[in-house]
Amino acid sequence: MGCRRRSLRRRHRGCRQWADGGCCRRRSLSPARSAGYQGNSALSGAAILTAEEMRAAEQAIFDSGVAPYALMETAGAAAADVIWRAGGVRDTLVLCGPGNNGGDGFVIARLLKARGVPVRVAATGESKTDSSQKARRAWAGPVENIADAAPATQIVDALFGIGLARGLDGALAQRLGELVDAAERSYAIDVPSGVDTDGGVLLSPVPRFDLCIALGALKPAHVLQPAAGTFARLICADIGIGANDAKAFLLTPPDLAEPAPDAHKYTRGLVDIVAGTMAGAGILAATAAAHAGAGCVRHLAPEPTSRLPNAVIMVTAPDAGAVTKALQDERIASVLVGPGLGRSDEARKRLSAAVTAGHPLVVDADGITLLEAAPDMLPVGTIITPHEGEFSRLFGEITGNKIDRAREAARRMGGVVVYKGPDTAIASADGRIAVWHGGSPWLSTAGTGDVLAGICAARLAVTGDPFLAACEAVWLHGEAARRAGAAFIADDLIAHIPAAVAARTQ
Ligand SMILES: NC(=O)C1=CN([C@@H]2O[C@H](COP(=O)(O)OP(=O)(O)OC[C@H]3O[C@@H](n4cnc5c(N)ncnc54)[C@H](O)[C@@H]3O)[C@@H](O)[C@H]2O)[C@H](O)CC1
Ligand SMILES: [K+]
């Protein structure tokens, strides 16, 4: 047991790092990019700030003596550097709005022009803030009207950022779309104009940008759908914003440990899968658990099956009494109930047997449905893995964005919620949040949820820490899908889990 505790301590560091605020630190990326940015691949652990949290972080900088315009110059310079490195000397049209996002645009235009880029600026009208007026005065060139500005090879969207209050008016949204569609390269400054910074919804039609340059920290719109689908790539430019108060972070690839030299299957973790009448789901979950680091996996189903891997122990448990008896085993490190459980009275009894057995628990699929909006009946520390529909049925209406809803649900149930989707929010009852986005769209196929649930149960057996286990499982599931390529089925996905584990095993 000592080995597990030691390796847990090491892995917990990862969690503390999240708690300490892993914002957009200066990290030099590939040589092609200078220090100060985090691109898609290096964004892990980046802080996610709401508009209000961002303004508070900016205010803290102002209170430290940095003038607002100085911060705008820093932001504009960082964005101009990214655009220069990505686009070089291509004719560029910068679209400036009335606020500080527009001010960034004027700074970007001036700095690109100083590097020899043929730059034009078009604006929606007057600049309304002191900083944006100062940036506009420093722009020596003409300012065209966006309504009739000619297209350009590169478009920079500095219309609206975190201050967008409502959708763009129709003509402006249409013009933005036309100019972006006509361009070879398009960049959105801070957030694409038209997205709701905190909710991640689209307040008006938003074109798809090639690159979104987040300033200072990620916002929910950068990771939550559909807003996160309005750009192909994402970079976070460091402008010296401290994000230590951040409550949400982008999921960090896990640090996994090899089994200790003296490990055996029970110290690595025995996983029991309480399956039901739909055999395939339970078999997928059991097989996935066996490939995700568990020391031993038992599949407890009403009927025997010949479809399990030899490495998974088949236990025929014809009724809930037999499940209860099988779970009276102190070697069990985690129990998963739900995949293929069904919704009959017998299924309800099997769920109850699993919930009351006293082992670390993962509840998925039918298990969630059978909870009938009573998540607080679950033992503290339980992991549940709802998709949108299961979440709504279980928790009803919860206000806020997906991150807020996951956080509140975890608080109510006293455990960990893996709120699945193309943007998966992982929330623990103590308020920690990790968000995973950008996964393979090919995961939208039957059975991949059963695979994720199995990986969760395995990681819970290995780590004993529900939040860490859920984060590891979501990452491994996504990484296995990335490795599986296109058009895979859930059975194929399992084959790629060991390589995903290997990729993160020190
Ligand atoms: N705080 C700073 O010094 C820095 C901010 N950065 C950049 O500034 C924006 C946030 O700027 P803000 O002025 O708060 O808001 P916006 O520029 O996004 O625009 C708000 C502006 O637009 C008006 N408005 C809102 N919605 C609409 C609409 N649908 N139609 C028309 N007009 C609208 C609103 O009244 C305001 O006047 C942030 O994203 C950064 O890009 C720097 O990065 C760092 C320094
Ligand atoms: K913008």
Side-chain angles (χ1 to χ4, degrees):
M1 185 60 99
C3 58
R4 268 178 59 191
R5 207 182 308 284
R6 192 172 50 254
S7 64
L8 270 182
R9 265 200 307 278
R10 198 157 58 78
R11 276 203 292 282
H12 267 293
R13 267 202 308 274
C15 274
R16 264 203 305 282
Q17 188 183 7
W18 289 333
D20 298 346
C23 177
C24 295
R25 291 200 189 91
R26 266 184 201 286
R27 273 188 210 159
S28 58
L29 301 167
S30 59
R33 295 197 199 107
S34 67
Y37 316 124
Q38 288 183 319
N40 280 23
S41 56
L43 278 171
S44 62
I48 302 167
L49 296 184
T50 62
E52 183 183 350
E53 290 165 345
M54 189 68 200
R55 293 197 191 288
E58 286 167 357
Q59 189 55 51
I61 288 185
F62 304 151
D63 296 345
S64 71
V66 175
Y69 185 67
L71 187 61
M72 181 172 283
E73 281 286 337
T74 302
D81 197 38
V82 171
I83 296 168
W84 165 250
R85 291 172 186 283
V89 183
R90 285 178 168 81
D91 67 290
T92 301
L93 174 61
V94 181
L95 308 176
C96 295
N100 285 335
N101 196 247
D104 291 345
F106 281 106
V107 174
I108 292 165
R110 188 187 86 239
L111 296 177
L112 288 178
K113 188 171 185 179
R115 284 179 162 175
V117 178
V119 181
R120 295 158 41 226
V121 171
T124 54
E126 289 312 305
S127 298
K128 293 182 182 174
T129 67
D130 294 344
S131 292
S132 59
Q133 289 167 2
K134 189 167 181 177
R136 186 170 190 144
R137 288 193 297 273
W139 160 251
V143 177
E144 302 169 37
N145 183 325
I146 196 168
D148 49 26
T153 306
Q154 290 197 127
I155 288 290
V156 178
D157 161 25
L159 293 172
F160 300 102
I162 62 172
L164 187 72
R166 59 192 182 282
L168 277 58
D169 71 50
L172 179 58
Q174 183 179 341
R175 190 69 188 129
L176 173 62
E178 289 164 356
L179 290 168
V180 169
D181 291 348
E184 282 177 17
R185 293 164 185 247
S186 53
Y187 310 85
I189 303 306
D190 208 9
V191 290
S193 295
V195 308
D196 170 20
T197 301
D198 291 350
V201 297
L202 308 185
L203 299 174
S204 48
V206 179
R208 184 168 164 86
F209 290 89
D210 294 307
L211 177 59
C212 182
I213 305 169
L215 298 171
L218 298 185
K219 284 76 177 186
H222 292 123
V223 297
L224 298 180
Q225 296 293 346
T230 60
F231 47 84
R233 297 199 58 246
L234 174 63
I235 271 188
C236 182
D238 179 355
I239 61 172
I241 294 277
N244 295 331
D245 298 337
K247 293 188 277 298
F249 298 92
L250 211 53
L251 182 62
T252 297
D255 292 331
L256 308 179
E258 284 187 336
D262 60 348
H264 57 72
K265 58 177 178 276
Y266 295 118
T267 56
R268 285 187 54 194
L270 167 60
V271 176
D272 272 11
I273 310 284
V274 178
T277 49
M278 289 176 283
I283 291 167
L284 283 171
T287 309
H291 284 77
C296 178
V297 178
R298 299 192 309 183
H299 176 262
L300 285 57
E303 303 287 334
T305 174
S306 58
R307 292 156 56 193
L308 286 167
N310 296 319
V312 173
I313 299 169
M314 181 180 75
V315 175
T316 303
D319 55 31
V323 171
T324 300
K325 190 164 179 303
L327 294 181
Q328 287 164 353
D329 181 335
E330 79 281 354
R331 298 170 304 176
I332 294 171
S334 74
V335 172
L336 164 61
V337 60
L341 188 66
R343 300 180 188 179
S344 65
D345 284 347
E346 182 54 31
R348 208 179 295 276
K349 290 175 190 163
R350 295 175 87 88
L351 172 66
S352 174
V355 168
T356 54
H359 300 297
L361 184 64
V362 180
V363 182
D364 177 55
D366 288 335
I368 294 173
T369 302
L370 290 178
L371 286 173
E372 283 163 355
D376 49 4
M377 72 175 267
L378 292 171
V380 168
T382 297
I383 299 173
I384 62 171
T385 57
H387 55 54
E388 190 61 49
E390 291 161 345
F391 184 95
S392 304
R393 282 196 298 273
L394 191 55
F395 295 105
E397 270 310 302
I398 298 181
T399 57
N401 66 22
K402 186 163 187 170
I403 295 170
D404 301 327
R405 295 199 301 275
R407 180 186 291 119
E408 171 57 16
R411 185 195 63 78
R412 288 186 195 175
M413 62 158 293
V416 172
V417 175
V418 178
Y419 190 173
K420 294 185 296 192
D423 46 8
T424 292
I426 307 158
S428 65
D430 63 7
R432 281 175 296 168
I433 297 268
V435 181
W436 174 78
H437 86 110
S440 164
W442 296 104
L443 276 169
S444 52
T445 181
T448 54
D450 304 316
V451 172
L452 175 61
I455 302 172
C456 272
R459 299 319 300 172
L460 183 57
V462 171
T463 66
D465 177 317
F467 182 67
L468 180 63
C471 290
E472 291 181 355
V474 167
W475 189 87
L476 290 170
H477 187 248
E479 176 64 9
R482 187 187 69 80
R483 291 166 178 267
F488 56 79
I489 62 174
D491 304 64
D492 305 329
L493 181 60
I494 292 171
H496 293 276
I497 297 171
V501 172
R504 296 301 304 172
T505 298
Q506 315 298 331

